Amino acid sequence: MKTIGENTPSLTLENCSKCVAQDAGSMHVCHIGKGSVQEVFLKDFSICYGNVDMMRERLISYEYAEPSVKMLFQFCGSRIVKIDGFKEDVEMSCNSHTLLYTNINAGQVHYSGCEQQKFMEVNFKPSFLIPYLPNETIFSKFLSRIKEQKNAVLSGTKGLVSVPMQQVIDSIFDSKRSGALQHLFLESKVKELLLLQIESYLKSAAEDKAAVHKYHVDKIYQAKAIIEANIGHPCSLIDLAHQVGTNECTLKKGFRALLDTSVYSYWNDLKMQKAYKMLQESDASIADIALDTGFKTPQHFSTAFKKKYGITPGKVRTEPVTK
C-alpha cells in the first residue's frame, strides 16, 4: 500500500468507526478487511486513499470536524455515500468522480459491488475552491449553495475518471518527497486534479453522448483493461477492437472521448512507467526490459524512453529523474 508523506505519524483504528480531523501533517490509517484507508491531513486539505479487499458488504461511519468540499474518485468497486443532511445518497461506481459540498460532515459509506475497493477522496475548506470556480451556470449554482451553507452536489451526472486524472493521482502516491516539499507538491497536485475535474464538467454531456453510445462504454473500459493486463504484448487497434466486440473507429473515438487520450498514448505511457520502475527496482538488463515492455529492439526502447523522460535508460540507475 502506498502512503502519502512518509515521515508523518500514524494511528491505527481497527474498526474505523470515526475519522476525525487531525493536526496538519499527520497521517491516519484505518484497517478495513484486507487492506486499509489512509488519510494525510495538511493545512488546507486532506487526502484519503483506500485500497481494500472485502469479502462482504460493509457500512462504515465517518465524521469530520467541519464542513468541506469533497472531490470523490472511485476506481474499482462501488460506494454509496450517505451524508447527513443530504436528500439523496451519492452513488459512486467504477471509474467515476464527483464534486460536492457538505455542511454537516458526517454520515456513512456503504461498500458493495466488488471485493476490491479502490478510491480517493480530497477534502478541503470552501475557501480553497471558491477562487477557481468558472463563471458558468452549473458552478454559479454550486457556489450559491456553498455560501448559503447548504449541502450540494455539483452535478447529478457522475464524471468518468480520465487518464490525466489517473496520472495525477498516481504521481501523488509515487512521490518520494517529504516535509515542506511534499506539502508543496501535494498542494500543486490537488489543484491540478481540481482543474481537470472542473474542466470535465465544462464539457457538454451531449457531446460525450454523441461521441460514445452508452452501449460502447463498457467495451472501451474492457479494452483499457486488456491493455493494462498485456503491457508488454501489444496488438493492433483492429485486433483490440475485435477482442471487445467493436470496430477500430469506435474504439479510437470512444477511448479519446472517455479517457481523454489515444489508445497508443495510453499504452505507451504504461510501457514507459513499467520500464522506469524495472530500471529502478530490478537488475534486469536494458535489452530484457525492452523485450518485456514490448519493444522490438533495445535501440527503439532507448529512443522512446529518452523522448519520454529526457534521459537514457542507462542513466536512470545513476541519475533518476522526477517523473
Side-chain angles (χ1 to χ4, degrees):
M1 176 77 187
K2 299 173 183 176
T3 60
I4 317 169
E6 297 176 343
N7 298 325
T8 53
S10 63
L11 172 67
T12 299
L13 252 58
E14 288 299 329
N15 296 321
C16 196
S17 58
K18 285 189 177 182
C19 297
V20 182
Q22 310 289 313
D23 294 332
S26 67
M27 172 80 79
H28 180 203
V29 181
C30 299
H31 294 285
I32 306 174
K34 297 180 180 179
S36 64
V37 177
Q38 302 190 15
E39 189 166 25
V40 61
F41 296 88
L42 299 175
K43 179 181 178 181
D44 295 317
F45 59 89
S46 65
I47 300 175
C48 176
Y49 181 77
N51 189 351
V52 182
D53 287 333
M54 295 183 292
M55 299 304 295
R56 60 183 177 84
E57 296 184 6
R58 287 178 181 265
L59 190 65
I60 307 296
S61 298
Y62 73 90
E63 180 180 341
Y64 288 98
E66 57 188 9
S68 71
V69 174
K70 296 178 180 289
M71 300 166 64
L72 303 181
F73 299 88
Q74 186 79 15
F75 312 115
C76 185
S78 61
R79 289 186 296 161
I80 299 177
V81 185
K82 303 172 180 290
I83 303 174
D84 293 352
F86 267 64
K87 293 182 180 180
E88 298 181 0
D89 297 337
V90 180
E91 299 184 14
M92 301 297 298
S93 57
C94 288
N95 294 303
S96 67
H97 72 85
T98 192
L99 183 69
L100 59 87
Y101 166 77
T102 171
N103 185 46
I104 304 173
N105 208 341
Q108 296 176 318
V109 182
H110 180 210
Y111 296 92
S112 64
C114 180
E115 289 182 4
Q116 186 175 35
Q117 295 280 335
K118 289 185 179 181
F119 56 88
M120 176 174 163
E121 178 178 315
V122 181
N123 290 274
F124 45 81
K125 298 176 182 178
S127 57
F128 182 84
L129 169 71
I130 291 174
Y132 304 112
L133 288 179
N135 187 25
E136 302 286 343
T137 302
I138 184 174
F139 297 104
S140 297
K141 292 180 178 179
F142 188 60
L143 179 58
S144 296
R145 298 284 294 184
I146 292 175
K147 290 182 176 180
E148 294 169 2
Q149 296 187 331
K150 295 181 179 179
N151 296 327
V153 178
L154 179 60
S155 173
T157 303
K158 302 298 182 299
L160 294 170
V161 176
S162 66
V163 170
M165 289 180 184
Q166 185 66 63
Q167 290 173 338
V168 171
I169 292 167
D170 288 344
S171 72
I172 288 175
F173 295 98
D174 284 338
S175 174
K176 300 298 189 294
R177 300 169 182 82
S178 62
L181 288 180
Q182 174 74 340
H183 292 185
L184 178 62
F185 174 78
L186 291 178
E187 182 171 339
S188 70
K189 289 302 176 181
V190 166
K191 287 182 177 179
E192 185 177 354
L193 197 55
L194 178 61
L195 167 66
L196 293 171
Q197 194 170 37
I198 288 175
E199 287 181 337
S200 76
Y201 282 111
L202 289 173
K203 292 183 177 180
S204 169
E207 291 179 355
D208 288 340
K209 290 180 180 179
V212 186
H213 191 278
K214 185 177 180 180
Y215 172 76
H216 293 292
V217 171
D218 288 343
K219 297 181 184 297
I220 302 304
Y221 280 111
Q222 186 182 350
K224 176 175 177 285
I226 290 174
I227 292 172
E228 292 169 347
N230 299 275
I231 296 174
H233 304 282
C235 65
S236 68
L237 281 174
I238 294 177
D239 288 341
L240 182 60
H242 287 173
Q243 286 186 59
V244 299
T246 187
N247 57 63
E248 182 181 0
C249 182
T250 299
L251 176 62
K252 291 168 64 176
K253 290 183 177 179
F255 214 90
R256 172 68 68 180
L258 291 179
L259 302 172
D260 198 24
T261 189
S262 68
V263 176
Y264 172 78
S265 294
Y266 184 63
W267 209 322
N268 188 64
D269 284 345
L270 290 180
K271 288 162 62 176
M272 291 293 99
Q273 290 168 17
K274 180 180 179 180
Y276 192 97
K277 187 173 183 179
M278 290 181 70
L279 286 165
Q280 284 193 313
E281 300 178 3
S282 78
D283 295 325
S285 68
I286 291 177
D288 287 340
I289 293 174
L291 183 64
D292 196 49
T293 51
F295 287 89
K296 294 181 178 180
T297 67
Q299 290 75 22
H300 288 157
F301 167 60
S302 296
T303 300
F305 191 93
K306 186 172 183 180
K307 182 178 180 181
K308 172 71 174 178
Y309 294 115
I311 189 174
T312 62
K315 289 186 177 180
V316 167
R317 285 166 172 157
T318 57
E319 303 176 25
V321 297
T322 301
K323 294 185 285 183

